[in-house]
Amino acid sequence: MDKFIIKGGRRLTGEVTISGAKNAAVAILPAVILSDEPCIIENVPSISDVNISLRILEEMGAVVESPANNVYRIDPTHIDKYCVPYETARKMRASYYFLGALLGKFNKARVSMPGGCPLGDRPIDQHLKAFSALGAEYTLSQGMIDLKADSLKGSQIFFDVVSVGATMNALLASVKASGLTVIENAAKEPHIVDLANFLNSMGANIMGAGTDVIKVRGVEHLHGANYAVIPDQIEAGTFMIAAAATQGDVIIKNIIPKHLESITKKLEKIGVNIELYDDSLRVWTEGPLVKANVKTTPHPGFPTDMQPQIAALLTLAEGTSIVTEGVWEQRFRYVDELRRMGADITVNGKVALIEGTGKLMGAPVKACDLRAGAALIIAGLAAQGITEIEDIYHIERGYDCMEGKLKELGADIEKVSIPDKLDDKNDKKAVV
Ligand code: EPZ
C-alpha cells in the first residue's frame, strides 16, 4: 500500500499541464466497441480507471496497443465476449458503460453490478429505464445485469433525475438503434458532449449534446476514428485550488476555459485571481481568502466533484462558509479527516458549515474516495507540518501523476510504500 507524505507550507509556482478527462475517457474507451474498425484515442490519462477499462476490453477480445504515451489504438473487431465479470467490474463504477456499449453493438450484455459505494445510494434505475425504452429486457440475478433485445428501436427516454451515467449509456445504446431516439432531461457535462463528439466522429448522428434534449438518429455502421479526449476540468480545478490554498502563482495549461466557468467564478469570489487565455489560465493569490457559499448541482452548476477541494480551501478563508451538496447523499465523509488537521466543520445532512480558521496543521489522514483524497492533498500542501495520506489508490484512480505534477510546482510531496496491514490485504473496492 502506498501513501503520500507532504511537508506543507510551500507556495506552488510554475506551470502544470492537465491530462485527459477521466470521466470522458471511461465512456469513450467502451464506446470503441461500437466501431466496425480500429480507433485511435489520444490524450488518454494514465490513471487506474483507464487501465481497468483497457483490461476489460482486452479480456473481451479487443486488441489494444499504445503507439505513444497516452495514445491507444484499439481494434474491437475480434471481441467475442459480452460479459464483464464481478472481479473486474467491482473495481470501477464506470464499468456500467460496457452495458450500453455491448447492448448497442451486439443487442446483449452481461455486466456485474458495480460494487459498494462511498457516495451514498447509487442506483442505476435510470440506465435500465433507457435500455428498456430502446426495447431491451433486463434481468438482475447473482449480482449480474443481463440485457438482451431482438433489435433496438429508437424511442423517447425521459430521465427522472439528471444522470451523467444514464445519459452516456442512453447514447451508447441508441446510436445504432433504428429510427429516432429523444433523450429528455439529459445531463449536460462536458464529458457528455465529448462522448457524443467521439460517436459522431465514427459516423453517428447525435444532435443536442450539451443541452437537456439530445436527439439520436440511429445508423447501421460506425467506422474507425482518431479522437482526442478533452482536458479534465476537475483536475484543472483541483490544481487551481491547490495554487490558491498555498498562496501560489501557477499557469495551468491544456484547459477549456468554458468548462471551468462555475469554478472560476466561485474562486474569484473567494479572493483568488484568475486570468484566462485561449487554452490555459493563470491562477494566483495575494492576501487573505474570504468566505463563500457553494452549492453543487449538475453542469453548468458548481461540480460535485470539486466540492471536497473547495471545502478544504474554505477552511483557510476568513469567515463562515456554507457548502451544500446537491448531487450525492454522502459526500462529506472526508470532513472527519480535515478536522484532524484542525478544520472547524459541522455537517448537517447535505450541508457543511465551515468556520475558516485560516490555518491547518499536518496530521495522518486517510482518503475515503477520489476527490476526498484530492482535498486532503490540498489541505496537506497548505498545512503547517507533515501530512501523511493513506489509501491513495483512490487518488490514483482519477489523477494522472498527481505527485509528479505537484513536485514540478515546488511541493514537497513523496509517495512511499508501506507494508499492508493484515486487514488491508484484501483487494480494495474502489468504485467512485
Ligand atoms: C458521474 O457519476 C461521475 N462518474 C461522478 O464522478 C460524478 O460525481 C457524477 O457523475 C455527477 O457529476 C463518472 O463519470 C464515471 P450520476 P454517475 O448518474 O454517472 C442519481 C468523480 O469523482 N441517480 O450523474 O454515477 C444518483 O444517485 C466521480 O470523478 C439515480 O437516482 O452519477 C445521484 O444522486 C464521482 N438513478 C445523481 O443521480 C440512476 O440510475 C447523479 O448521479 C442514476 C443516478
Side-chain angles (χ1 to χ4, degrees):
M1 203 170 61
D2 295 333
K3 68 177 174 182
F4 286 141
I5 301 183
I6 302 173
K7 280 190 199 135
R10 294 209 179 181
R11 284 183 76 222
L12 298 188
T13 55
E15 293 183 356
V16 63
T17 301
I18 297 307
S19 300
K22 168 183 90 94
N23 289 344
V26 295
I28 286 172
L29 294 173
V32 172
I33 292 172
L34 291 158
S35 169
D36 293 337
E37 293 167 340
C39 292
I40 294 177
I41 313 295
E42 298 175 21
N43 202 31
V44 179
S46 296
I47 53 174
S48 57
D49 272 10
V50 158
N51 296 339
I52 294 167
S53 304
L54 293 170
R55 200 184 323 149
I56 295 173
L57 284 167
E58 284 184 318
E59 281 171 5
M60 289 192 309
V63 179
V64 177
E65 293 162 347
S66 179
N69 283 346
N70 306 107
V71 179
Y72 290 91
R73 181 184 187 278
I74 304 168
D75 181 352
T77 54
H78 305 291
I79 289 181
D80 56 2
K81 297 190 186 72
Y82 322 105
C83 176
V84 182
Y86 172 70
E87 275 312 309
T88 337
R90 72 176 178 136
K91 294 192 176 134
M92 183 184 64
R93 184 79 193 168
S95 52
Y96 52 42
Y97 291 137
F98 286 90
L99 280 170
L102 287 168
L103 180 69
K105 174 79 175 206
F106 302 111
N107 289 349
K108 59 183 169 184
R110 182 170 162 79
V111 178
S112 169
M113 290 281 279
C117 167
L119 302 180
D121 199 17
R122 297 187 72 175
I124 57 159
D125 56 302
Q126 300 301 305
H127 303 235
L128 298 175
K129 181 177 181 180
F131 300 142
S132 299
L134 294 168
E137 288 179 3
Y138 65 86
T139 50
L140 308 173
S141 82
Q142 296 279 307
M144 300 295 288
I145 307 160
D146 273 289
L147 293 173
K148 61 172 190 282
D150 293 333
S151 62
L152 295 171
K153 291 192 185 63
S155 174
Q156 192 95 2
I157 301 169
F158 183 86
F159 287 127
D160 307 314
V161 291
V162 178
S163 161
V164 169
T167 304
M168 297 277 214
N169 254 335
L171 288 176
L172 293 167
S174 63
V175 273
K176 297 186 73 201
S178 60
L180 181 69
T181 298
V182 181
I183 306 168
E184 290 184 75
N185 203 20
K188 300 185 280 235
E189 271 66 6
H191 24 290
I192 304 282
V193 180
D194 209 33
L195 174 66
N197 286 344
F198 171 55
L199 292 167
N200 281 343
S201 75
M202 293 197 290
N205 185 349
I206 302 172
M207 294 152 290
T211 75
D212 43 24
V213 181
I214 305 179
K215 293 186 178 160
V216 184
R217 193 164 288 284
V219 295
E220 270 186 34
H221 296 287
L222 293 178
H223 53 74
N226 195 334
Y227 192 80
V229 176
I230 50 165
D232 196 310
Q233 59 169 156
I234 304 300
E235 188 195 8
T238 302
F239 275 98
M240 288 168 82
I241 290 185
T246 60
Q247 296 281 315
D249 188 343
V250 173
I251 303 279
I252 302 186
K253 294 161 80 175
N254 190 34
I255 56 144
I256 298 176
K258 179 88 188 142
H259 295 172
L260 293 168
E261 258 174 10
S262 63
I263 300 169
T264 303
K265 279 193 190 132
K266 197 52 79 174
L267 289 179
E268 283 174 340
K269 278 211 167 137
I270 296 172
V272 180
N273 302 301
I274 296 163
E275 227 166 60
L276 296 172
Y277 313 114
D278 287 349
D279 60 358
S280 63
L281 62 81
R282 176 181 168 211
V283 54
W284 76 104
T285 310
E286 306 158 319
L289 301 169
V290 293
K291 66 177 179 146
N293 295 340
V294 180
K295 179 165 194 241
T296 68
T297 55
H299 193 78
F302 190 87
T304 172
D305 295 345
M306 286 299 300
Q307 184 258 95
Q309 301 92 312
I310 203 154
L313 183 68
L314 290 170
T315 67
L316 300 165
E318 287 174 357
T320 307
S321 300
I322 301 172
V323 175
T324 307
E325 174 55 41
V327 177
W328 294 113
E329 291 284 315
Q330 292 172 22
R331 209 166 197 175
F332 287 121
R333 296 188 331 145
Y334 64 89
V335 160
D336 283 342
E337 303 301 303
L338 284 182
R339 283 200 196 108
R340 293 165 60 78
M341 300 179 71
D344 182 348
I345 308 179
T346 316
V347 177
N348 190 353
K350 289 184 161 194
V351 179
L353 203 69
I354 303 175
E355 299 290 351
T357 54
K359 65 177 188 328
L360 293 168
M361 294 163 302
V365 289
K366 257 186 199 206
C368 60
D369 64 52
L370 168 60
R371 309 304 173 188
L376 294 176
I377 289 183
I378 290 164
L381 293 170
Q384 295 166 6
I386 295 181
T387 298
E388 296 193 6
I389 307 177
E390 283 189 25
D391 288 354
I392 61 168
Y393 65 92
H394 284 297
I395 299 166
E396 294 177 338
R397 289 188 32 248
Y399 287 95
D400 184 347
C401 194
M402 183 71 147
E403 86 275 13
K405 290 183 181 183
L406 286 170
K407 268 189 192 167
E408 287 284 308
L409 295 174
D412 187 339
I413 176 169
E414 292 298 333
K415 182 160 123 178
V416 296
S417 287
I418 46 172
D420 278 358
K421 292 178 216 145
L422 262 184
D423 55 358
D424 283 337
K425 283 207 167 146
N426 294 327
D427 197 3
K428 306 276 183 181
K429 296 178 185 175
V431 287
V432 183

